Amino acid sequence: MQPAILKFGTGRLLQAHVDLMVSEALARGEAIGTIAAVQTTGSAEARRRVAALNRGQGFPVHIRGLVDGRPSEREVRVTSIARAYDAAEDWEAVESLVVGDIQAIVSNTADRGYELDPADRIGDRLPRSFPAKLTTLLHARWRHRAEPLTLLPLELILRNGEVLREVVAGVAAEWGLEPAFHAWLRERCLWACSLVDRIVSEALEPIGAVAEPYALWAIEDAPGLRPVCRHRDLVVTGDRARYERLKLYIMNLGHSWLAERWLLDRRPPEETVVEALADPDLAADLDGLYEAEVLPVFAALGLGDAARAYRDTTLERLRNPFLRHRLHDIAHNHAAKKERRFRALIDLASRADPGLDQPRLAGALSSGA
């Protein structure tokens, strides 16, 4: 089957989320097509993943955790990847796909993936930044057939579809591209805001992942939206902000708080989330943070009950005994994550609950960890 989905990223989150959902949907005839995966990092690890994907044998995802309070383990064979590409070596092939039958582009770039490189120029064979790569591909699509695409960014950025659209439009303006292309970008392409929620704790070699049973892909509804597949864990919603805030300010904030303590307290180098929460003092610290500085914000927004329920689910997920989720990994790009999780919640509280005191979050922002 010719790929209908172009996916930027070959890491474990996408493997255990988008790739798995599309694979299961394809088996039921409920996906728009297979996936072409593009890796852009150039690392030796990423090149091994590309080579493994191109063997055409699929890859395993081990799903381990508690389901209805009982231990559950199963393996899913993911077979949705039709072809994988290394951008540095295969850029012309990637461009050919985009001007061909691709209908949707999914991305999950690094934490700083929307940053621009001032060296990028129109006409470069391979732009350096992801937004410039995407602008180049969309411009080629527009020149060859002008049929719009659906863009589904998964980066954990508030209103990610809108943010990515504006970044790409800015690149197009900087490059002096045609006004008709600008209009096509903004008015005909569909930039969907979407959110993924699943703990994927380990990568398997050379390809594959270990993940929890819980999974959510929430996509904000919009006129003309056609999701890449139908799946029990994919939700099209008119209130994506609700899902986004719950995940960002409870699950992800909790992860970053544990990473903050791990860094400041010089805790064991290989400590996992489960091991950290076995420390009663640290567990109480996280619970106190939620109670005093997080849940009151949701209560002020009218989401108090939903937030408490999600907090309870989150703590159960964090204590999943099957996952080896290292705090060392969570602490990657810690300063940037604190800005998006701690400072953003403080800013939200200043509007929703101006009298709320959040000393621990504020202190973490200035800790230097």
Side-chain angles (χ1 to χ4, degrees), residues 69-335:
R70 297 182 178 181
S72 173
E73 295 187 69
R74 65 187 179 99
E75 179 180 315
V76 179
R77 195 78 188 172
V78 175
T79 58
S80 53
I81 307 294
R83 175 74 184 174
Y85 298 90
D86 184 322
E89 298 178 2
D90 306 314
W91 187 245
E92 289 77 11
V94 173
E95 186 171 301
S96 295
L97 282 173
V98 173
V99 302
D101 295 329
I102 293 296
Q103 300 175 41
I105 296 179
V106 177
S107 69
N108 186 37
T109 57
D111 292 307
R112 300 170 65 181
Y114 289 3
E115 292 184 4
L116 301 175
D117 189 319
D120 283 329
R121 297 287 184 272
I122 185 66
D124 288 348
R125 177 195 168 272
L126 179 62
R128 295 164 181 80
S129 70
F130 169 65
K133 287 182 175 72
L134 186 55
T135 305
T136 299
L137 293 174
L138 292 175
H139 189 243
R141 171 84 169 202
W142 174 78
R143 286 189 293 106
H144 281 81
R145 57 191 295 172
E147 292 183 10
L149 288 169
T150 296
L151 290 300
L152 288 158
L154 305 183
E155 293 82 6
L156 193 58
I157 296 172
L158 294 175
R159 309 299 305 169
N160 52 15
E162 295 171 3
V163 171
L164 184 57
R165 181 192 63 204
E166 294 308 307
V167 172
V168 169
V171 173
E174 177 69 22
W175 287 354
L177 299 179
E178 301 88 340
F181 173 59
H182 282 262
W184 181 83
L185 272 180
R186 289 185 173 279
E187 299 166 14
R188 299 199 61 204
C189 289
L190 197 159
W191 302 79
C193 295
S194 71
L195 170 79
V196 297
D197 190 358
R198 178 171 238 169
I199 298 173
V200 185
S201 62
E202 296 177 72
L204 303 176
E205 289 293 338
I207 190 77
V210 179
E212 65 172 336
Y214 181 96
L216 172 70
W217 187 359
I219 305 176
E220 187 170 73
D221 200 7
L225 174 68
R226 184 189 179 195
V228 297
C229 67
R230 293 181 61 189
H231 194 277
R232 64 185 178 277
D233 296 323
L234 190 156
V235 176
V236 176
T237 176
D239 188 14
R240 193 190 65 96
R242 173 181 179 274
Y243 294 97
E244 187 173 65
R245 285 172 171 168
L246 288 170
K247 178 178 187 288
L248 187 61
Y249 301 138
I250 296 180
M251 169 61 78
N252 296 116
L253 181 144
H255 271 155
S256 288
W257 182 256
L258 293 175
E260 175 79 3
R261 289 291 307 269
W262 178 78
L263 289 165
L264 290 177
D265 299 346
R266 300 183 182 274
R267 297 178 67 87
E270 297 299 312
E271 187 173 46
T272 66
V273 171
V274 171
E275 291 166 346
L277 289 177
D279 179 336
D281 292 336
L282 188 53
D285 183 56
L286 177 61
D287 191 58
L289 177 73
Y290 281 144
E291 285 292 336
E293 301 189 26
V294 176
L295 294 179
V297 184
F298 285 96
L301 294 169
L303 292 171
D305 291 342
R308 285 193 172 276
Y310 186 79
R311 187 272 312 270
D312 294 344
T313 298
T314 293
L315 290 174
E316 182 178 66
R317 293 166 64 193
L318 294 179
R319 289 188 168 98
N320 183 342
F322 294 91
L323 297 188
R324 182 166 177 76
H325 201 184
R326 298 188 312 159
L327 289 166
H328 174 272
D329 296 334
I330 294 170
H332 183 64
N333 284 330
H334 185 56

Side-chain angles (χ1 to χ4, degrees), residues 334-345 347 365:
H334 185 56
K337 289 175 179 175
K338 287 198 293 184
E339 289 293 319
R340 291 199 299 271
R341 300 168 187 184
F342 298 176
R343 190 179 302 282
L345 182 62
D347 291 344
L365 286 169

